[in-house]
Amino acid sequence: MVLIQRILGQVRRAIQDYDMIGDGDKIAIGVSGGKDSMTLLTTLKQLQRFYPKKFEIEAISLTMGIGNADFTPVAEYCRQIGVNYTIEETQIGKIIFEYRQEKNPCSMCANLRRGALHNVSKKLGCNKVALGHHRDDAIETLLLSTFFEGNLHTFSPVTYLDRKELYLIRPLIYTEEKQIKTVAKSGQFPIVKSPCHIDGKTKRQYVKDLIYQLQKENRDIKSNLFGAIKRAEIDGWHE
């Protein structure tokens, strides 16, 4: 319980630092059922009780058309905490792995999932979408972009999508993945395993493993990389 309160403090600080939430916002939370999105759902619901700016939240899960992901525990959890929950059926997994047989499917999968999530969010009357990207994700994305694309780039804390008239917000940007893992293991909320059969075998996993190895020689490497992102003002970041 102490750790979830610490994460809640980090979420509130990120929201304030980057002006992520305003009065009257209706925020869709992309809920995959994994540890990151479930932590985001839990903390935003708790924040809603005392945050000075009043906002609504909607939880949205996308089926992938592959595997046997069961969102029943997530639906029950949303019922318990009083959050409206929507499951959108998609065939994204089949399109990528069966029809197109993509050799590097992650980018296309992310784009299709984002599009589907944004469409459902608009249907529900939301003006913002909250995503469960955390501090480690920002660092890994920076290295992925640098190593494989030759660009110094990572996602922004807040992004405005002109065509959709939606803001994307990432309230977990100050939270380390190890904190989220600890909370998830505590059993405070259900976890749904990803149906993707290449989960854990991606370029992101390669970078994650590389950082882990580098940390053995330099304990501050992740703090230094995160600080560099903020000092360089990459994509809307600031000190």
Side-chain angles (χ1 to χ4, degrees):
M1 193 63 181
V2 173
L3 185 53
I4 196 72
Q5 292 304 314
R6 188 178 304 165
I7 293 175
L8 181 58
Q10 294 167 347
V11 166
R12 180 172 186 170
R13 183 160 60 90
I15 288 170
Q16 291 174 332
D17 284 354
Y18 290 95
D19 195 23
M20 293 183 183
I21 294 179
D23 265 319
D25 280 345
K26 189 172 184 180
I27 304 169
I29 304 172
V31 179
S32 68
K35 59 180 174 48
D36 305 334
S37 62
M38 292 304 295
T39 298
L40 178 61
L41 171 63
T42 301
T43 51
L44 284 185
K45 181 58 184 177
Q46 291 187 10
L47 184 71
Q48 191 183 37
R49 298 191 182 108
F50 63 84
Y51 198 62
K53 296 178 180 179
K54 303 305 176 186
F55 61 94
E56 299 177 55
I57 55 178
E58 296 268 350
I60 302 170
S61 292
L62 305 175
T63 68
M64 299 294 288
I66 57 173
N68 298 304
D70 180 9
F71 290 106
T72 304
V74 178
E76 176 58 22
Y77 181 71
C78 287
R79 187 193 65 78
Q80 290 175 2
I81 64 175
V83 174
N84 190 52
Y85 181 53
T86 300
I87 300 177
E88 180 76 1
E89 302 285 342
T90 85
Q91 297 298 313
I92 292 172
K94 283 189 176 181
I95 291 170
I96 291 171
F97 293 113
E98 296 179 18
Y99 302 148
R100 295 183 62 96
Q101 298 182 1
E102 290 287 326
K103 293 181 179 179
N104 299 298
C106 295
S107 178
M108 175 175 284
C109 181
N111 287 334
L112 292 175
R113 284 188 289 112
R114 277 195 296 266
L117 177 61
H118 298 164
N119 289 339
V120 179
S121 301
K122 291 294 289 185
K123 287 179 185 176
L124 293 172
C126 298
N127 65 312
K128 291 182 179 177
V129 176
L131 302 174
H133 296 137
H134 46 66
R135 194 177 87 148
D136 291 65
D137 285 328
I139 294 167
E140 291 159 13
T141 301
L142 174 71
L143 295 185
L144 280 165
S145 180
T146 304
F147 293 166
F148 299 108
E149 299 173 9
N151 294 316
L152 287 173
H153 167 79
T154 190
F155 54 73
S156 306
V158 177
T159 304
Y160 181 65
L161 304 177
D162 291 39
R163 291 194 300 176
K164 293 290 185 180
E165 297 183 326
L166 279 173
Y167 283 93
L168 305 185
I169 62 173
R170 295 174 167 93
L172 290 175
I173 54 169
Y174 291 158
T175 303
E176 293 182 85
E177 185 175 27
K178 65 181 181 181
Q179 293 177 293
I180 294 172
K181 285 182 176 178
T182 301
V183 169
K185 288 177 181 176
S186 72
Q188 294 185 45
F189 42 71
I191 300 293
V192 176
K193 191 178 186 311
S194 170
C196 180
H197 59 266
I198 64 167
D199 189 36
K201 303 173 185 176
T202 61
K203 288 180 180 177
R204 182 172 293 274
Q205 187 63 47
Y206 164 78
V207 168
K208 193 184 294 288
D209 293 340
L210 176 62
I211 293 171
Y212 177 77
Q213 292 300 321
L214 293 172
Q215 270 191 299
K216 292 180 180 179
E217 299 180 12
N218 180 1
R219 292 176 54 190
D220 298 325
I221 191 163
K222 286 204 288 189
S223 296
N224 291 341
L225 285 166
F226 191 67
I229 290 171
K230 293 190 291 183
R231 286 189 294 274
E233 298 183 354
I234 296 174
D235 289 350
W237 292 83
H238 57 71
E239 290 268 34

